[in-house]
Amino acid sequence: MSIVSETLNSANAAATSSDRIVIDGLDHRFGESVHAASNVSLTFAPGEFVSIVGPSGCGKTTVLNLLAGLIKVQTGTLSIFGKPPKAGRHDVAYMLARDCLFPWLTAERNAEFGAEIRGMDRAKRKSRARELLEAVGLKGFEESYPKALSHGMRQRVALARTFCLESPLLLMDEPFGALDAQTKLQLEEVLLSLWMKERRNVVFITHDLAEAITLSDRVIVMSSRPGRVIADIPIDLPRPRSVSALQKDPAYHRLYAQVWEQLEMGLKS
Amino acid sequence: MSNPSTVPNFERFETIALVVARIVFLAFFFLGWEYVARNRIVDPLFIGVPSQIAKFLWNGLFVDYSIIRDLVWTLGSTFLAFAIGSVAGIATALIFITWPLFERFSGPFFSALNALPRIALAPLFLLWFGLGIWSKVALGASLTYFIVLSSAVAGIRSTSADHLTLSRTMGASKRQIFMRVTLPSAVPTIFSGLRLGLIYALLGVIGGEIIAAEHGLGQLLSFLAGSFQISGMFSVLLILAILGTVLIEVMNIVEKRLLRWQ
Ligand SMILES: Nc1ncnc2c1ncn2[C@@H]1O[C@H](COP(=O)(O)OP(=O)(O)O)[C@@H](O)[C@H]1O
Ligand SMILES: [Mg+2]
């Protein structure tokens, strides 16, 4: 981390950042009173899985939406692979807590929707959507409409749709936040296996510290509003990780306690 | 017998029993009516006689086809009114969505027109379009138009914000968003508008025919009333009830096919 920022400070930031995501001196306000993000500076290395945790309302979604180009940057600079954020960039995929499936499309048509919009060749996106549906455990449900699928199954389709996009950066806003504990663990497993196949940059927003540690290479902790970065903790658990095995792993629990301590200290200061 | 097979059997039995009960009820109802009219407990001039209703229907449907001919006129006008009214309604909705400023400008005018009791336009339409079907089509279409317009606007506005956001992040063009997201989301609401619009098209056409026409079930109805043929009137009312039911049923079938995903 320190090496990265030194490089950034000493040299021309744009020259070194064409393969990474750089947030520098970001500040964002909604109106006069709501200060959502305050002096956020972060750099994500290629293929890094980074989680951002923090209390609800601290500005996590705001940071993600700024990266997605859904809201305009006010202060600071954002650079994704050397270019400023812009909604609709093909190298960025976005996923929400709500599945956002189109009720009039079957699971398969939903899974390939984004790829279709982005003009991926029909045969290619069809086979990719089918593969991904199988990978998320929905083989046999290709022709089902969302109303016939459970909450967890719908979010699996949304995962398949996100990965079908083939974007090197995935922005995920509490994608499992609305699921029950059991389903959540299952989907974390699915996400990890998809990610391990083709490592991409993931920025994963969550308010669940356990989830953040399980999935990530790095956990960023934000303070309550105005959201500042109060801790940036590397998670050096070996990969490939198994979500269910981690639950019983003492190293994981030690790490959890450690991160929790840092989080508490950060929240106090 | 195991449970799963006996339950549907019982349900089927219940359905059959209900149908039989309805037939028995109708039989007693018409027999009672016939008895009351024949014995002049109530003057048949006011309530007609079921046997004559049946005779009128038989004659009009299968012998001289007089009812069929008028039915064709009414149906034809209704479909024209429905088609013109709903196409114009959806087109206006698209204009509203594309130019919100125009919607805000014309809102009061549209509200005033919509609030106007449409049947009051019948004399004007008669002057403009004559005694033929076009004055009826105009009346029916003016009813359908506003119903379909408001449902189409509501439907298009009801598109989920999440769906729009997601499509934007995928890089969908405005045209793609409209065709692939906005329009499909609006279909259920537009459809309920269309169903209501069809019934109102029939209402407008029948109303227009009653006021002044050369053909059509409404004209037949007002002719029969003018010559005190009460049994004939009841047969036309029966036909109209059946016609309305069939139209609704057809719309339901189309809707089920179109909105399988719901
Ligand atoms: N479009 C907006 N207009 C006004 N206030 C907003 C808007 N979006 C978010 N906020 C406010 O900014 C703060 C941070 O929101 P958000 O980034 O969604 O938090 P988080 O995702 O961490 O829960 C909240 O207080 C929220 O009410
Ligand atoms: Mg949020």
Side-chain angles (χ1 to χ4, degrees):
Chain A
M1 178 63 196
S2 65
I3 301 167
V4 169
S5 42
E6 264 163 38
T7 329
L8 278 175
N9 292 338
S10 57
N12 181 349
T16 56
S17 66
S18 68
D19 60 347
R20 58 196 63 220
I21 293 119
V22 182
I23 303 173
D24 191 27
L26 182 73
D27 230 75
H28 202 89
R29 290 171 189 272
F30 293 103
E32 288 289 301
S33 55
V34 182
H35 196 171
S38 167
N39 194 25
V40 175
S41 294
L42 293 164
T43 301
F44 305 141
E48 209 174 19
F49 195 127
V50 182
S51 288
I52 302 179
V53 296
S56 143
C58 73
K60 304 183 295 296
T61 298
T62 304
V63 171
L64 202 74
N65 285 347
L66 284 164
L67 282 171
L70 290 170
I71 44 183
K72 258 213 185 119
V73 179
Q74 295 171 344
T75 314
T77 53
L78 264 70
S79 153
I80 298 167
F81 309 131
K83 280 172 280 170
K86 180 170 172 292
R89 275 176 68 154
H90 286 198
D91 49 4
V92 178
Y94 185 80
M95 182 174 171
L96 290 152
R98 299 166 291 267
D99 56 70
C100 293
L101 297 184
F102 297 112
W104 56 87
L105 296 180
T106 60
E108 189 183 320
R109 295 296 309 272
N110 263 300
E112 62 175 325
F113 183 84
E116 195 178 346
I117 289 290
R118 290 185 177 180
M120 190 190 284
D121 166 68
R122 185 185 150 85
K124 188 181 170 203
R125 65 165 197 259
K126 285 252 173 240
S127 74
R128 211 173 143 72
R130 278 179 182 269
E131 269 166 37
L132 279 163
L133 282 177
E134 187 175 350
V136 299
L138 284 181
K139 198 176 168 56
F141 290 94
E142 291 88 353
E143 299 307 315
S144 305
Y145 285 99
K147 69 151 189 217
L149 301 176
S150 73
H151 219 55
M153 288 160 98
R154 288 206 293 268
Q155 203 61 341
R156 283 169 196 257
V157 179
L159 259 182
R161 176 179 59 194
T162 310
F163 275 85
C164 200
L165 286 173
E166 298 194 309
S167 305
L169 170 61
L170 308 185
L171 303 174
M172 310 181 113
D173 192 359
E174 308 199 23
F176 310 142
L179 302 175
D180 62 84
Q182 192 62 38
T183 315
K184 190 171 177 168
L185 291 181
Q186 287 172 353
L187 280 167
E188 286 167 14
E189 196 88 70
V190 170
L191 172 59
L192 272 186
S193 73
L194 287 176
W195 180 76
M196 283 302 285
K197 268 186 223 154
E198 17 186 322
R199 297 225 183 172
R200 319 183 191 187
N201 272 95
V202 179
V203 180
F204 189 97
I205 307 286
T206 175
H207 53 243
D208 178 348
L209 192 55
E211 179 176 60
I213 294 170
T214 305
L215 297 172
S216 320
D217 297 319
R218 230 171 109 194
V219 175
I220 314 271
V221 182
M222 278 176 77
S223 69
S224 52
R225 229 174 46 225
R228 290 161 294 128
V229 175
I230 53 173
D232 186 340
I233 304 145
I235 306 297
D236 46 16
L237 293 168
R239 296 200 189 258
R241 298 177 192 165
S242 148
V243 175
S244 54
L246 276 183
Q247 306 306 310
K248 303 176 283 255
D249 185 346
Y252 166 80
H253 288 284
R254 266 199 308 277
L255 198 55
Y256 183 92
Q258 229 174 315
V259 176
W260 184 253
E261 226 165 84
Q262 273 184 281
L263 202 162
E264 272 185 329
M265 270 177 1
L267 286 177
K268 267 184 217 141
S269 65
Chain B
M1 273 266 163
S2 63
N3 239 8
S5 62
T6 52
V7 170
N9 265 349
F10 180 72
E11 266 174 22
R12 221 171 120 197
F13 172 76
E14 217 176 45
T15 323
I16 293 171
L18 272 176
V19 171
V20 171
R22 282 190 197 123
I23 292 171
V24 170
F25 167 77
L26 281 179
F28 271 99
F29 178 77
F30 284 115
L31 279 174
W33 185 352
E34 184 85 22
Y35 178 83
V36 167
R38 285 245 173 132
N39 294 292
R40 301 194 154 270
I41 299 170
V42 178
D43 191 338
L45 192 59
F46 293 116
I47 61 166
V49 187
S51 57
Q52 280 179 15
I53 296 174
K55 218 170 104 189
F56 191 95
L57 278 174
W58 180 264
N59 191 45
L61 291 175
F62 306 116
V63 183
D64 69 2
Y65 306 118
S66 57
I67 294 182
I68 300 273
R69 244 172 297 158
D70 282 320
L71 180 67
V72 170
W73 280 101
T74 301
L75 265 183
S77 319
T78 303
F79 283 128
L80 279 171
F82 174 68
I84 294 172
S86 42
V87 167
I90 291 174
T92 312
L94 294 182
I95 293 174
F96 278 5
I97 297 298
T98 322
W99 292 289
L101 196 63
F102 175 69
E103 184 185 9
R104 278 174 55 201
F105 160 77
S106 57
F109 305 127
F110 275 91
S111 302
L113 279 177
N114 191 24
L116 177 75
R118 227 57 48 71
I119 206 82
L121 291 178
L124 189 66
F125 287 155
L126 277 170
L127 274 176
W128 284 354
F129 304 112
L131 269 183
I133 63 165
W134 292 106
S135 55
K136 285 85 206 165
V137 171
L139 197 59
S142 76
L143 284 164
T144 305
Y145 175 73
F146 286 100
I147 295 167
V148 174
L149 169 61
S150 58
S151 72
V153 170
I156 292 172
R157 292 264 151 81
S158 72
T159 312
S160 136
D162 281 347
H163 283 167
L164 295 176
T165 305
L166 191 80
S167 310
R168 262 183 71 207
T169 66
M170 287 170 171
S173 64
K174 276 200 162 164
R175 193 191 138 76
Q176 276 176 321
I177 289 182
F178 184 77
M179 297 303 291
R180 319 259 333 241
V181 182
T182 309
L183 218 52
S185 332
V187 166
T189 318
I190 293 181
F191 214 92
S192 56
L194 288 177
R195 185 188 359 221
L196 201 61
L198 182 58
I199 298 307
Y200 273 80
L202 179 64
L203 174 73
V205 166
I206 296 287
E209 287 172 353
I210 288 178
I211 291 169
E214 293 165 328
H215 305 283
L217 290 174
Q219 188 274 335
L220 180 60
L221 202 59
S222 84
F223 164 76
L224 292 168
S227 50
F228 295 101
Q229 298 187 54
I230 199 79
S231 296
M233 286 180 69
F234 274 111
S235 359
V236 176
L237 289 178
L238 189 70
I239 294 289
L240 284 175
I242 293 170
L243 181 60
T245 314
V246 168
L247 288 181
I248 292 179
E249 211 38 56
V250 167
M251 286 304 265
N252 283 343
I253 290 168
V254 176
E255 183 174 19
K256 241 190 203 148
R257 286 223 135 178
L258 218 60
L259 301 179
R260 245 171 321 160
W261 49 270
Q262 272 204 322

